[in-house]
Amino acid sequence: GGHGKIDECNLAKNGLVTETAVPENKDGFLITEIPFNDRASRTVFAKSAVGLKLKPGNASGGTDFERALELAHKSVTELENRANPDGYKFYRPVAILMSDGHSNANDQTIQKVQEVADVICIAFGMDANTSMLEKIATDGKAHRVSMGAGDLQKFLAKVGKTLSDSFQATRV
């Protein structure tokens, strides 16, 4: 809520999409978005990053990591089980969980998501619950990003560039 956090979040998430939609990636990234506050919902499922514009989110309510992680697991599983007549090889999914709040998730839900995706956690703002985010992150790190000066946009652009570089380096 407040202080422009949601505005920066909206700009940053679209910047990440733009970074993964570069022509060198040849339409190689599929994006799913699961905004969450006191509830979670999937607003985009497995859409190409090329030309994708995510709708602005809004800040309200509490924070429900549990439901967001359950939907992330469901989304990865649905994508893996979707018909693939062209025989595309999918790389290991990456889930990016970003929050400025405090919440919990049970160990079983965390483990289920970590089994199907690499989870990157971003603690947005100085008051974010880094200990829970560290537990959720595959690498055990919560990347703290401060408010202001476009720090979140810069961080997510760097994440997008890293994903793009990795994709381009391993493409056959």
Side-chain angles (χ1 to χ4, degrees):
H3 308 300
K5 278 185 178 179
I6 195 65
D7 296 329
E8 186 162 350
C9 176
N10 287 325
L11 289 170
K13 70 183 184 176
N14 278 303
L16 172 65
V17 170
T18 299
E19 184 61 47
T20 57
V22 297
E24 296 81 11
N25 290 340
K26 299 185 191 247
D27 206 21
F29 281 89
L30 300 178
I31 306 289
T32 296
E33 181 184 38
I34 303 169
F36 65 97
N37 43 41
D38 57 344
R39 45 191 189 282
S41 63
R42 188 168 66 186
T43 57
V44 172
F45 174 65
K47 297 278 186 193
S48 170
V50 176
L52 180 63
K53 292 291 181 206
L54 300 175
K55 293 180 182 174
N58 57 23
S60 66
T63 306
D64 186 357
F65 289 167
E66 186 76 24
R67 181 70 180 135
L69 291 170
E70 288 170 352
L71 278 173
H73 179 268
K74 178 181 179 186
S75 297
V76 170
T77 303
E78 285 178 11
L79 180 61
E80 288 175 347
N81 292 329
R82 189 163 73 173
N84 185 8
D86 296 321
Y88 290 116
K89 177 188 181 292
F90 292 104
Y91 294 100
R92 183 164 169 81
V94 174
I96 301 172
L97 176 72
M98 181 179 63
S99 179
D100 68 347
H102 292 258
S103 184
N104 290 305
N106 74 55
D107 291 344
Q108 186 177 24
T109 301
I110 294 168
Q111 182 179 355
K112 281 175 58 177
V113 172
Q114 291 175 340
E115 287 172 357
V116 299
D118 291 329
V119 184
I120 298 169
C121 288
I122 302 169
F124 185 40
M126 300 315 290
D127 58 344
N129 183 0
T130 55
S131 61
M132 177 51 68
L133 292 172
E134 288 165 353
K135 186 175 177 181
I136 295 169
T138 307
D139 66 359
K141 297 177 186 174
H143 303 276
R144 185 178 293 280
V145 178
S146 62
M147 265 293 300
D151 290 343
L152 182 60
Q153 292 176 59
K154 292 172 192 169
F155 183 82
L156 285 181
K158 189 184 297 184
V159 169
K161 177 92 170 91
T162 300
L163 291 171
S164 289
D165 289 349
S166 296
F167 175 77
Q168 292 167 28
T170 58
R171 222 178 39 212
V172 269

